[in-house]
Amino acid sequence: QVQLVESGGGLVQPGGSLRLSCAASGTDEIIERVDWYRQAPGKQRALVGFITSGGSTNYPVSVSGRATVSRDSATNTVYLQLSNLKPEDTAVYYCRGLLRGNFYWGQGTQVTVSS
C-alpha cells in the first residue's frame, strides 16, 4: 500500500521560510509526479507546484518565485521549499503522488504564517 507522509509544517513568521517533506513508502518505484496542494480555511484546495519523475517543475503565478519543489529519488522524498512567507500562505499543505495511474494523498501538514 503506497503511503505519502508530509512533515515540516509549523508556525512561521512573515518573511520566513519553510521546507516541507513528502515521503513515499510502500513502494520501490519512484513516484511519477508529485503535486503540492494547499487548502486554507473556507477555500478550495489549490495547486502550489509539482515535479515530474524527470525533474521538471511548474508553479502557479500565485507562488512563482517563492516556491521550489525538488526531489530525492534515492529516498523517494519530495520537498516543497517556501520562502518570503505571507499570512495568506497559511493553509494545510498536501502532497499528491501519481503512480501507475493511481493518485495517493498524504494527510497534510499545517503551515501557519503569523507574527
Side-chain angles (χ1 to χ4, degrees), residues 23-92:
S25 63
T27 178
D28 293 329
E29 298 179 74
I30 300 299
I31 304 297
E32 296 159 32
R33 167 174 157 156
V34 176
D35 305 327
W36 281 98
Y37 283 83
R38 66 185 179 187
Q39 188 165 21
K43 295 189 176 181
Q44 289 188 331
R45 200 168 290 192
L47 181 68
V48 180
F50 69 81
I51 188 166
T52 67
S53 56
S56 297
T57 57
N58 206 339
Y59 311 94
V61 173
S62 59
V63 297
S64 182
R66 299 193 299 119
T68 302
V69 181
S70 60
R71 70 187 310 156
D72 180 348
S73 296
T75 60
N76 220 354
T77 300
V78 171
Y79 303 96
L80 171 65
Q81 178 81 33
L82 293 168
S83 61
N84 191 21
L85 285 162
K86 306 173 183 180
E88 51 264 41
D89 294 316
T90 295
V92 178

Side-chain angles (χ1 to χ4, degrees), residues 100-115:
R100 293 184 175 271
N102 295 308
F103 286 106
Y104 301 91
W105 286 92
Q107 83 290 349
T109 185
Q110 175 72 46
V111 172
T112 302
V113 184
S114 175
S115 55

